[in-house]
Amino acid sequence: MDASTRSHMTLNTLEKGEILGLRSRALNEKMATIVNMTTFLRENPFPFFVNAAVLRLCEAFRDECNELRLCIVRVMGECSSELRLVFSNDEVARRVLKVSHSNDPLARSLTLQILAKLASVVAENKQVHHLIVTSIDSEEAQERLAATVATEAFVGVSRSFSQTVFEKLCVTFLSPLVSPTTKIGLVGVFSNMQGDVEIIMKVFALGERILNEAYNQQLILALIKSLTTLAVSCKFAVSELVI
């Protein structure tokens, strides 16, 4: 059986609902089916199949309970290589973003978590960028943490997001109203930052200002570590590192 035939067979099976089994009313059956998708995607790395399967998982994420959403987040995290085959980028974002309007902070947190896993798929989606940036200073701790994770993921794959989030980071780090704990949590974002020379130089300038104004030892050490990592990855910026 050649690859093309196998791809069509697996796709037909998916369309019949025999793989995902998400039509079952039993939560444990749905969860078991989702968990098995990791193996199934790895065994069938065909673009049309992976794309269809990910769309189905995103539908389940949109429509199901938080327990299943968490399970789907984990599956997405285990299938990062296969996610590169997804081509229905806008559809993926559209289905996941529906959950961001929930009144449940856990559901919103899970939305940010799955977006972090899907960063390579929805890297340039402006609605996703806006959601992440506005969630950085959420009143809900779990949502802020998830936004930080998503920010770290997106600055590594999107230069436009790095530019968008930089202004937010400036306000956050320079505000005396933001706790050192929150700032320490965000410092890791700098080490993964992607951008042109201008934005990277702005990051180092911001880092220098933070170091000059900060009194929290943990924040200072975390910032130096993050900027050092950034300097190593962007060799043109090594001379800008402040120690």
Side-chain angles (χ1 to χ4, degrees):
M1 184 186 302
D2 60 26
S4 177
T5 302
R6 186 180 176 189
S7 175
H8 283 296
M9 289 182 64
T10 51
L11 185 58
N12 288 337
T13 304
L14 178 66
E15 290 301 323
K16 292 176 182 178
E18 295 173 7
I19 295 174
L20 289 181
L22 292 175
R23 295 172 184 172
S24 170
R25 294 184 179 181
L27 178 62
N28 63 323
E29 290 182 12
K30 292 181 179 181
M31 192 166 293
T33 304
I34 291 171
V35 169
N36 290 335
M37 281 304 296
T38 299
T39 300
F40 208 83
L41 287 173
R42 289 173 179 170
E43 292 178 348
N44 300 278
F46 310 114
F48 281 99
F49 173 72
V50 172
N51 189 74
V54 169
L55 285 175
R56 289 294 180 86
L57 287 172
C58 289
E59 285 179 4
F61 184 88
R62 177 192 64 197
D63 300 332
E64 298 291 345
C65 62
N66 286 337
E67 288 83 359
L68 281 180
R69 286 172 179 152
L70 178 58
C71 191
I72 293 170
V73 169
R74 289 171 177 167
V75 168
M76 294 297 188
E78 294 170 356
C79 298
S80 56
S81 297
E82 289 72 26
L83 290 178
R84 297 172 186 171
L85 300 174
V86 175
F87 51 83
S88 295
N89 313 72
D90 290 340
E91 277 302 313
V92 167
R94 188 174 297 113
R95 296 175 192 198
V96 170
L97 285 172
K98 290 284 187 181
V99 187
S100 69
H101 303 296
S102 171
N103 291 325
D104 179 4
L106 177 56
R108 297 196 303 270
S109 170
L110 289 169
T111 302
L112 292 162
Q113 290 180 48
I114 196 172
L115 288 172
K117 305 301 184 185
L118 292 168
S120 62
V121 178
V122 295
E124 302 303 331
N125 188 288
K126 300 306 179 185
Q127 286 181 288
V128 172
H129 291 185
H130 177 74
L131 173 65
I132 296 171
V133 171
T134 56
S135 299
I136 288 175
D137 53 7
S138 168
E139 294 181 358
E140 299 290 339
Q142 59 188 338
E143 202 168 352
R144 289 197 305 272
L145 179 59
T148 298
V149 173
T151 299
E152 287 191 33
F154 273 78
V155 295
V157 296
S158 172
R159 291 190 173 191
S160 64
F161 179 77
S162 293
Q163 293 175 335
T164 299
V165 78
F166 178 74
E167 296 303 323
K168 182 70 172 182
L169 293 175
C170 287
V171 172
T172 301
F173 277 102
L174 298 177
S175 172
L177 301 179
V178 178
S179 70
T181 301
T182 298
K183 293 178 181 179
I184 292 169
L186 276 170
V187 158
V189 169
F190 293 136
S191 65
N192 206 32
M193 188 79 76
Q194 297 290 319
D196 54 23
V197 175
E198 181 181 2
I199 191 67
I200 297 300
M201 290 299 100
K202 285 183 178 180
V203 169
F204 278 99
L206 173 61
E208 182 176 5
R209 183 172 176 183
I210 296 170
L211 288 172
N212 288 334
E213 298 179 4
Y215 294 97
N216 185 285
Q217 191 68 18
Q218 281 185 289
L219 175 59
I220 292 172
L221 293 175
L223 181 57
I224 291 175
K225 180 180 179 180
S226 186
L227 292 178
T228 300
T229 302
L230 178 61
V232 171
S233 64
C234 303
K235 294 181 174 57
F236 62 82
V238 170
S239 62
E240 297 295 323
L241 181 61
V242 180
I243 299 180

